[in-house]
Amino acid sequence: MATTAGSAERLQRAAGAWRLEFQQLVYNSPTLLRPRRFSVQGEQAILQQLRELSGHEPLVRDTERLFRGTLPDGTYIVRDGRWFPELLPDKLPEPQPEPQPEQVEATPGGQKVLEELARRMISLETSVQELQGQLERAIASLAAAAASGALAAAQVRQEHAATMAMPAVTAAMAGAATAPSSSHVAAPQPVAAAVAAPAPSAPARKSITLPAMSALTDLMRGLAGPDANLSPCERSDWGGLASAAPVFFAVIQDNAGDEAGSMIFDLEAALRLAGALLMESEEVIESLLEEKVMSDEMLDAASEVCNTLTSALNKVSGNPHLRAGKMQPFTDARAAQLAAASKRDDYRYNHGGRFTLVAC
Amino acid sequence: MHNNPTDTGAAAPFDSVEHWTEVVRGCAANVGPAMGLPPCQVLATLKAPPAGLTGVAITLEGIKPHVLIGVLSNQVGRSAIARAVFQMAPDERPKPEDEADAVGELANVITGHVKAVMSRLDTTMRIGLPSAVSAEAFSARTDQITLRVSFGSVPAALVVTRL
């Protein structure tokens, strides 16, 4: 299995043992590379691996600094070539009175306080994203329930989502308005409790946030030229469309392999985007469209297009790292799953065809 | 298998095609704006360049041949590269020889940057003469990687072949 140089992602210390997770591109078919996550354990092995990842020299020095220190078990993530503690919602520090700027600069721990503030901002952004997702899901379920006549049940869910969201918003705002006065404040705080507390009826895994149309359009233009454009369109009846012409979909998975969403393309969009990636002439695309043929090469290229579009999902703050699977023909089972999607965006591609982004 | 640390603890060597490709990727990202092109964005990684593309390939060799770096594009891309490199008007149509010169210049600059980065591998490394190539010259092989890139909306393929 051939790989590329890769990038470090996470450093964990558990029971005194260190473990590094990093990502590399590996061949998953004779022609295509996909990101895959690896791990190594042990201080020397980690340092050796980091040295072999190109451009990680500052990270090697920071890793050595961590290894020299006496640190509690925890997880560190890469930010600007340095390791920072990963703050999960239940590990957010307790808010403290905000120090005056001159105090921050004057105290020896001023730098640490600033770093703590930066970390808190990242955590707060994540919290807001989660709250936004909860509200969107609640609104979507209410609309669906109203359409099916089950309004009463939906009201219960909506009320529950609102009660879950409102204290969290309030607490998050309170947390944002304060700042830690010291660099080590580890006690859980109301923000963490509000955000982390799962609702009894809420799904175990939060839905991903779909990217803005402008982000997708930018990728399309890189792929297919400056005149490529997307426009929102009415919901596509993919089950019905699949009975008339080939329809394809690719599953979007998180690092754990759980399905987080999917992309659905009609034949024309799939062929035109795959053709753009392979720089095929318009004549070739037109002839494939006439024959309604999706060759293996074009299917591979279309899968790669999905991978490219997935980068827009990965750029959405709060989304986990996602990757697209191989494109495959649309099935009835997929159509049934689509009905239960938490969110979907339907687009028309101005060069021809349509596609849909779906969040589970 | 070049690297699967979970199994072996080994990593991609400095002289592997994967490492060369990473360097080419980084250098291409830098040279676009310097040559009047938008920044280079990697869209996909392929083992062989798409059929029908043409361009220029340049070798890097020193104590031994190291790599062949190819810059390929289609007609639209070659014209756009020529307009950018020679600062032509958007509606101006470059001559075929101008297109070849422009793509060759782009390949030359990218290869020059790669040589600078990789010179610690071989201090005698030098840039070879550019030669016109087509995609068909790069059949799929294990020690070759094709980066499907775009300089803004200008499509291109960068082919790195370990020699």
Side-chain angles (χ1 to χ4, degrees), chain B residues 42-114:
Chain B
V42 176
L43 298 174
T45 309
L46 312 168
K47 265 206 165 177
L53 306 189
T54 59
V56 171
I58 301 177
T59 56
L60 276 175
E61 56 187 40
I63 52 175
K64 62 170 186 171
H66 290 293
V67 287
L68 178 70
I69 298 173
V71 178
L72 308 178
S73 190
N74 57 11
Q75 177 61 54
V76 174
R78 288 194 303 274
S79 295
I81 291 169
R83 277 195 291 272
V85 170
F86 298 127
Q87 299 181 344
M88 299 164 78
D91 57 346
E92 207 169 343
R93 184 165 184 158
K95 297 175 192 170
E97 55 266 35
D98 289 339
E99 292 175 358
D101 284 350
V103 175
E105 186 59 22
L106 181 60
N108 209 29
V109 174
I110 291 173
T111 309
H113 279 69
V114 173

Coordinates of all heavy atoms in Angstrom, one line a residue, chain B residues 42-114:
Chain B
V42 N -5.2 21.4 -5.7 CA -5.2 20.0 -6.1 C -6.6 19.5 -6.0 O -7.2 19.6 -4.9 CB -4.2 19.1 -5.3 CG1 -4.4 17.7 -5.6 CG2 -2.8 19.6 -5.4
L43 N -7.2 19.0 -7.1 CA -8.6 18.5 -7.1 C -8.6 17.0 -6.8 O -9.6 16.5 -6.2 CB -9.2 18.8 -8.4 CG -9.4 20.3 -8.8 CD1 -9.9 20.4 -10.2 CD2 -10.3 21.0 -7.8
A44 N -7.7 16.2 -7.3 CA -7.7 14.8 -7.2 C -6.3 14.2 -7.5 O -5.5 14.9 -8.0 CB -8.7 14.2 -8.1
T45 N -6.1 13.0 -7.0 CA -4.9 12.3 -7.3 C -5.2 11.1 -8.1 O -6.0 10.3 -7.7 CB -4.2 11.9 -6.0 OG1 -4.2 13.1 -5.1 CG2 -2.8 11.4 -6.2
L46 N -4.5 11.0 -9.3 CA -4.7 9.9 -10.2 C -3.4 9.2 -10.4 O -2.3 9.7 -10.1 CB -5.3 10.4 -11.5 CG -6.5 11.4 -11.4 CD1 -6.7 12.0 -12.8 CD2 -7.7 10.6 -10.9
K47 N -3.5 8.0 -11.0 CA -2.2 7.3 -11.3 C -1.7 7.6 -12.7 O -0.6 7.4 -12.9 CB -2.4 5.7 -11.1 CG -2.0 5.3 -9.7 CD -1.6 3.8 -9.8 CE -0.9 3.4 -8.5 NZ -0.5 2.0 -8.5
A48 N -2.6 8.0 -13.5 CA -2.2 8.3 -14.9 C -3.0 9.6 -15.3 O -4.1 9.8 -14.9 CB -2.5 7.2 -15.9
P49 N -2.3 10.4 -16.1 CA -3.0 11.6 -16.6 C -4.2 11.3 -17.5 O -4.1 10.3 -18.2 CB -2.0 12.4 -17.3 CG -0.9 11.4 -17.7 CD -1.0 10.3 -16.7
P50 N -5.3 12.1 -17.5 CA -6.4 11.8 -18.4 C -5.9 11.8 -19.9 O -5.0 12.6 -20.2 CB -7.3 13.0 -18.1 CG -7.0 13.5 -16.8 CD -5.5 13.2 -16.6
A51 N -6.5 11.0 -20.6 CA -6.1 10.9 -22.1 C -6.4 12.2 -22.8 O -7.3 12.9 -22.5 CB -6.9 9.7 -22.7
G52 N -5.6 12.4 -23.8 CA -5.8 13.6 -24.6 C -5.0 14.8 -24.2 O -5.0 15.8 -25.0
L53 N -4.4 14.8 -23.1 CA -3.7 16.0 -22.6 C -2.3 16.0 -23.2 O -1.7 15.0 -23.5 CB -3.6 16.0 -21.1 CG -4.9 15.9 -20.3 CD1 -4.6 16.2 -18.8 CD2 -5.9 16.9 -20.8
T54 N -1.8 17.2 -23.4 CA -0.4 17.4 -23.9 C 0.3 18.4 -23.1 O -0.4 19.3 -22.4 CB -0.4 17.8 -25.4 OG1 -1.0 19.0 -25.6 CG2 -1.0 16.7 -26.3
G55 N 1.6 18.4 -23.1 CA 2.3 19.4 -22.3 C 3.8 19.2 -22.5 O 4.3 18.8 -23.5
V56 N 4.5 19.5 -21.3 CA 5.9 19.4 -21.3 C 6.4 18.6 -20.1 O 5.8 18.8 -19.0 CB 6.5 20.9 -21.3 CG1 8.0 20.9 -21.0 CG2 6.2 21.6 -22.6
A57 N 7.4 17.9 -20.3 CA 8.0 17.1 -19.2 C 9.5 17.4 -19.0 O 10.2 17.7 -20.0 CB 7.8 15.6 -19.3
I58 N 10.0 17.5 -17.8 CA 11.4 17.8 -17.5 C 11.9 16.8 -16.5 O 11.2 16.5 -15.5 CB 11.5 19.3 -17.0 CG1 10.9 20.3 -18.0 CG2 12.9 19.6 -16.6 CD1 10.9 21.7 -17.5
T59 N 13.1 16.4 -16.7 CA 13.7 15.4 -15.7 C 14.6 16.2 -14.7 O 15.1 17.3 -15.0 CB 14.6 14.4 -16.4 OG1 15.6 15.1 -17.2 CG2 13.8 13.5 -17.3
L60 N 14.7 15.6 -13.6 CA 15.6 16.1 -12.6 C 16.6 15.0 -12.4 O 16.2 13.8 -12.0 CB 14.9 16.4 -11.2 CG 14.3 17.8 -11.1 CD1 13.6 17.9 -9.8 CD2 15.4 18.9 -11.2
E61 N 17.9 15.2 -12.6 CA 18.9 14.1 -12.5 C 20.2 14.6 -11.9 O 20.5 15.8 -12.1 CB 19.1 13.4 -13.8 CG 19.5 14.3 -14.9 CD 19.5 13.6 -16.3 OE1 18.7 12.8 -16.5 OE2 20.5 13.8 -17.0
G62 N 20.9 13.8 -11.3 CA 22.2 14.2 -10.7 C 23.1 13.0 -10.7 O 23.5 12.5 -11.8
I63 N 23.4 12.4 -9.5 CA 24.1 11.2 -9.5 C 23.4 10.0 -10.2 O 24.0 9.0 -10.6 CB 24.5 10.8 -8.1 CG1 23.3 10.8 -7.2 CG2 25.5 11.8 -7.5 CD1 23.5 10.3 -5.8
K64 N 22.1 10.2 -10.3 CA 21.2 9.3 -11.1 C 20.0 10.0 -11.5 O 19.7 11.1 -10.9 CB 20.9 8.1 -10.2 CG 20.1 8.5 -8.9 CD 19.5 7.3 -8.2 CE 18.6 7.8 -7.1 NZ 17.8 6.7 -6.4
P65 N 19.2 9.5 -12.4 CA 17.9 10.1 -12.8 C 17.0 10.0 -11.6 O 16.9 9.0 -11.0 CB 17.4 9.3 -13.9 CG 18.6 8.6 -14.5 CD 19.5 8.4 -13.3
H66 N 16.4 11.1 -11.2 CA 15.5 11.1 -10.1 C 14.0 11.1 -10.5 O 13.4 10.0 -10.2 CB 15.7 12.4 -9.2 CG 17.0 12.4 -8.5 ND1 17.4 11.5 -7.5 CD2 18.2 13.1 -8.7 CE1 18.6 11.7 -7.1 NE2 19.1 12.7 -7.8
V67 N 13.5 12.1 -11.1 CA 12.1 12.1 -11.4 C 11.9 12.8 -12.8 O 12.7 13.6 -13.2 CB 11.2 12.9 -10.4 CG1 11.0 12.1 -9.1 CG2 11.7 14.3 -10.1
L68 N 10.7 12.5 -13.4 CA 10.3 13.2 -14.5 C 9.0 14.0 -14.1 O 8.1 13.3 -13.6 CB 9.9 12.2 -15.6 CG 9.4 12.8 -16.9 CD1 10.5 13.6 -17.7 CD2 8.8 11.7 -17.8
I69 N 9.0 15.3 -14.3 CA 7.9 16.1 -13.9 C 7.2 16.6 -15.1 O 7.8 17.3 -15.9 CB 8.3 17.3 -13.0 CG1 9.0 16.7 -11.7 CG2 7.1 18.1 -12.6 CD1 9.6 17.8 -10.8
G70 N 5.9 16.2 -15.3 CA 5.2 16.6 -16.5 C 4.1 17.6 -16.1 O 3.4 17.5 -15.1
V71 N 3.9 18.6 -16.9 CA 2.8 19.6 -16.8 C 2.0 19.5 -18.1 O 2.4 19.8 -19.2 CB 3.3 21.0 -16.6 CG1 2.1 22.0 -16.5 CG2 4.2 21.1 -15.4
L72 N 0.7 19.0 -17.9 CA -0.1 18.7 -19.1 C -1.4 19.5 -18.9 O -1.9 19.8 -17.8 CB -0.4 17.2 -19.2 CG 0.7 16.2 -19.1 CD1 0.2 14.8 -19.2 CD2 1.7 16.5 -20.3
S73 N -2.0 19.8 -20.0 CA -3.4 20.4 -20.0 C -4.1 20.1 -21.3 O -3.5 19.6 -22.3 CB -3.2 21.9 -19.7 OG -4.5 22.4 -19.4
N74 N -5.3 20.5 -21.4 CA -6.1 20.4 -22.6 C -5.9 21.7 -23.4 O -5.2 22.6 -22.9 CB -7.5 20.0 -22.3 CG -8.2 21.1 -21.4 OD1 -7.7 22.1 -21.2 ND2 -9.4 20.7 -20.9
Q75 N -6.6 21.8 -24.5 CA -6.5 23.0 -25.3 C -6.9 24.3 -24.6 O -6.1 25.3 -24.6 CB -7.4 22.8 -26.6 CG -7.3 24.0 -27.5 CD -5.9 24.3 -28.0 OE1 -5.3 23.4 -28.6 NE2 -5.5 25.5 -27.9
V76 N -8.0 24.2 -23.9 CA -8.4 25.4 -23.1 C -7.4 25.8 -22.1 O -7.1 27.0 -21.9 CB -9.8 25.1 -22.5 CG1 -10.2 26.2 -21.6 CG2 -10.9 24.8 -23.5
G77 N -6.9 24.8 -21.4 CA -5.9 25.1 -20.3 C -4.6 25.7 -20.9 O -4.1 26.6 -20.3
R78 N -4.1 25.1 -22.0 CA -2.9 25.5 -22.5 C -3.0 27.0 -23.0 O -2.1 27.8 -22.8 CB -2.4 24.6 -23.7 CG -1.9 23.3 -23.2 CD -1.2 22.5 -24.4 NE -2.0 22.4 -25.6 CZ -2.9 21.4 -25.8 NH1 -3.0 20.4 -24.9 NH2 -3.6 21.3 -26.9
S79 N -4.2 27.3 -23.6 CA -4.4 28.7 -24.1 C -4.4 29.6 -22.9 O -3.8 30.7 -22.9 CB -5.7 28.8 -24.9 OG -5.6 28.0 -26.0
A80 N -5.1 29.2 -21.8 CA -5.2 30.1 -20.7 C -3.8 30.3 -20.0 O -3.5 31.4 -19.5 CB -6.2 29.5 -19.7
I81 N -3.0 29.2 -20.0 CA -1.7 29.4 -19.4 C -0.9 30.3 -20.2 O -0.2 31.2 -19.7 CB -1.0 28.0 -19.3 CG1 -1.7 27.1 -18.2 CG2 0.5 28.1 -18.9 CD1 -1.3 25.7 -18.2
A82 N -1.0 30.2 -21.6 CA -0.2 31.1 -22.4 C -0.6 32.6 -22.3 O 0.2 33.5 -22.2 CB -0.4 30.7 -23.9
R83 N -1.9 32.8 -22.2 CA -2.4 34.1 -22.0 C -1.9 34.7 -20.7 O -1.6 35.9 -20.6 CB -4.0 34.2 -22.0 CG -4.5 34.2 -23.4 CD -6.0 34.6 -23.4 NE -6.8 33.5 -22.8 CZ -7.3 32.5 -23.5 NH1 -7.1 32.4 -24.8 NH2 -8.0 31.6 -22.9
A84 N -1.9 33.9 -19.6 CA -1.4 34.4 -18.3 C 0.1 34.6 -18.3 O 0.5 35.7 -17.9 CB -1.8 33.4 -17.2
V85 N 0.8 33.7 -18.9 CA 2.3 33.8 -18.8 C 2.8 35.0 -19.7 O 3.7 35.7 -19.3 CB 2.9 32.5 -19.3 CG1 4.4 32.7 -19.5 CG2 2.7 31.4 -18.2
F86 N 2.2 35.1 -20.9 CA 2.6 36.2 -21.8 C 1.7 37.4 -21.7 O 1.8 38.3 -22.5 CB 2.6 35.6 -23.2 CG 3.5 34.5 -23.4 CD1 3.1 33.3 -24.0 CD2 4.8 34.6 -23.0 CE1 3.9 32.2 -24.2 CE2 5.7 33.5 -23.2 CZ 5.3 32.3 -23.8
Q87 N 0.9 37.5 -20.7 CA 0.1 38.7 -20.4 C -0.7 39.1 -21.6 O -0.7 40.3 -22.0 CB 1.0 39.8 -19.9 CG 1.7 39.4 -18.6 CD 2.5 40.5 -18.0 OE1 2.9 41.5 -18.7 NE2 2.9 40.4 -16.8
M88 N -1.4 38.2 -22.2 CA -2.2 38.5 -23.4 C -3.6 38.9 -23.0 O -4.0 38.6 -21.9 CB -2.2 37.3 -24.3 CG -0.8 36.8 -24.8 SD -0.8 35.2 -25.5 CE -1.5 35.5 -27.1
A89 N -4.3 39.5 -23.9 CA -5.7 39.9 -23.6 C -6.6 38.7 -23.5 O -6.3 37.7 -24.1 CB -6.2 40.8 -24.7
P90 N -7.6 38.8 -22.7 CA -8.5 37.6 -22.5 C -9.1 37.1 -23.8 O -9.3 35.9 -23.9 CB -9.6 38.2 -21.6 CG -9.1 39.4 -20.9 CD -8.1 40.0 -21.9
D91 N -9.3 37.9 -24.8 CA -9.9 37.4 -26.0 C -8.8 37.1 -27.1 O -9.1 36.7 -28.2 CB -10.8 38.5 -26.6 CG -10.2 39.8 -26.8 OD1 -9.0 40.0 -26.3 OD2 -10.7 40.7 -27.5
E92 N -7.5 37.2 -26.7 CA -6.5 36.9 -27.6 C -6.3 35.4 -27.7 O -6.3 34.7 -26.7 CB -5.2 37.6 -27.1 CG -4.2 38.0 -28.3 CD -3.1 38.9 -27.8 OE1 -3.3 39.5 -26.7 OE2 -2.1 39.0 -28.5
R93 N -6.0 35.0 -28.9 CA -5.8 33.5 -29.1 C -4.3 33.2 -29.3 O -3.8 33.6 -30.4 CB -6.6 33.0 -30.3 CG -6.5 31.5 -30.4 CD -7.6 31.0 -31.4 NE -7.5 29.6 -31.4 CZ -8.5 28.8 -31.7 NH1 -9.7 29.3 -32.1 NH2 -8.4 27.5 -31.8
P94 N -3.7 32.5 -28.4 CA -2.2 32.3 -28.6 C -1.9 31.3 -29.7 O -2.8 30.4 -30.0 CB -1.8 31.7 -27.2 CG -3.0 31.7 -26.4 CD -4.2 32.0 -27.1
K95 N -0.7 31.4 -30.2 CA -0.3 30.5 -31.2 C 0.1 29.2 -30.5 O 0.5 29.2 -29.4 CB 0.9 31.0 -32.0 CG 0.6 32.2 -32.8 CD 2.0 32.7 -33.4 CE 1.8 34.1 -33.9 NZ 3.1 34.7 -34.3
P96 N 0.0 28.0 -31.3 CA 0.4 26.8 -30.6 C 1.8 26.8 -30.1 O 2.0 26.2 -29.0 CB 0.2 25.8 -31.8 CG -0.7 26.4 -32.7 CD -0.6 27.9 -32.6
E97 N 2.7 27.4 -30.8 CA 4.1 27.4 -30.2 C 4.2 28.3 -28.9 O 5.0 28.0 -28.0 CB 5.1 27.9 -31.3 CG 4.8 29.3 -31.9 CD 4.0 29.2 -33.2 OE1 3.1 28.2 -33.3 OE2 4.2 30.0 -34.1
D98 N 3.3 29.3 -28.9 CA 3.3 30.1 -27.6 C 2.7 29.3 -26.5 O 3.2 29.4 -25.3 CB 2.4 31.4 -27.8 CG 3.1 32.4 -28.7 OD1 4.3 32.3 -28.9 OD2 2.4 33.2 -29.3
E99 N 1.7 28.5 -26.8 CA 1.2 27.6 -25.8 C 2.2 26.6 -25.2 O 2.3 26.4 -24.0 CB 0.0 26.9 -26.3 CG -1.2 27.7 -26.6 CD -2.4 27.0 -27.3 OE1 -2.2 25.8 -27.6 OE2 -3.4 27.6 -27.6
A100 N 2.9 26.0 -26.2 CA 4.0 25.1 -25.8 C 5.0 25.8 -24.9 O 5.5 25.2 -23.9 CB 4.6 24.4 -27.0
D101 N 5.4 27.0 -25.4 CA 6.4 27.7 -24.6 C 5.9 28.1 -23.2 O 6.7 28.0 -22.2 CB 6.8 29.0 -25.3 CG 7.7 28.8 -26.5 OD1 8.1 27.7 -26.7 OD2 7.8 29.7 -27.3
A102 N 4.7 28.5 -23.1 CA 4.2 28.8 -21.8 C 4.1 27.7 -20.8 O 4.5 27.7 -19.7 CB 2.8 29.5 -22.0
V103 N 3.6 26.5 -21.4 CA 3.5 25.3 -20.5 C 4.9 24.9 -20.1 O 5.2 24.5 -19.0 CB 2.7 24.2 -21.2 CG1 2.7 22.9 -20.4 CG2 1.3 24.6 -21.5
G104 N 5.8 25.0 -21.1 CA 7.2 24.6 -20.8 C 7.8 25.5 -19.7 O 8.5 25.1 -18.8
E105 N 7.5 26.8 -19.8 CA 8.0 27.7 -18.8 C 7.4 27.4 -17.4 O 8.1 27.4 -16.4 CB 7.6 29.2 -19.2 CG 8.2 30.3 -18.3 CD 9.7 30.2 -18.2 OE1 10.3 29.7 -19.1 OE2 10.2 30.7 -17.2
L106 N 6.1 27.1 -17.4 CA 5.5 26.7 -16.1 C 6.1 25.4 -15.6 O 6.5 25.4 -14.4 CB 4.0 26.5 -16.3 CG 3.1 26.1 -15.1 CD1 3.2 27.1 -14.0 CD2 1.7 25.8 -15.5
A107 N 6.4 24.5 -16.4 CA 7.0 23.2 -16.0 C 8.4 23.5 -15.5 O 8.9 23.0 -14.5 CB 7.1 22.2 -17.1
N108 N 9.1 24.4 -16.2 CA 10.5 24.8 -15.8 C 10.6 25.4 -14.4 O 11.4 25.1 -13.6 CB 11.1 25.7 -16.9 CG 12.5 25.6 -17.0 OD1 13.1 24.5 -16.8 ND2 13.2 26.7 -17.4
V109 N 9.6 26.3 -14.2 CA 9.6 27.0 -12.9 C 9.3 26.1 -11.7 O 9.9 26.1 -10.7 CB 8.6 28.2 -12.9 CG1 8.5 28.9 -11.5 CG2 9.1 29.2 -13.9
I110 N 8.3 25.2 -12.0 CA 7.9 24.3 -10.9 C 9.1 23.3 -10.7 O 9.5 23.1 -9.5 CB 6.7 23.4 -11.4 CG1 5.4 24.3 -11.4 CG2 6.4 22.3 -10.4 CD1 4.2 23.7 -12.0
T111 N 9.7 22.8 -11.7 CA 10.8 21.9 -11.6 C 12.0 22.6 -10.8 O 12.7 22.0 -10.0 CB 11.3 21.4 -12.9 OG1 10.2 20.9 -13.6 CG2 12.3 20.3 -12.8
G112 N 12.2 23.9 -11.1 CA 13.3 24.6 -10.5 C 13.0 24.7 -9.0 O 14.0 24.5 -8.2
H113 N 11.8 25.0 -8.6 CA 11.5 25.0 -7.2 C 11.7 23.6 -6.5 O 12.1 23.5 -5.4 CB 10.0 25.5 -7.0 CG 9.8 27.0 -7.1 ND1 10.0 27.7 -8.2 CD2 9.5 27.9 -6.1 CE1 9.8 29.0 -8.0 NE2 9.5 29.1 -6.7
V114 N 11.2 22.6 -7.2 CA 11.4 21.3 -6.7 C 12.9 20.9 -6.5 O 13.3 20.4 -5.5 CB 10.7 20.2 -7.6 CG1 11.0 18.8 -7.2 CG2 9.2 20.5 -7.7

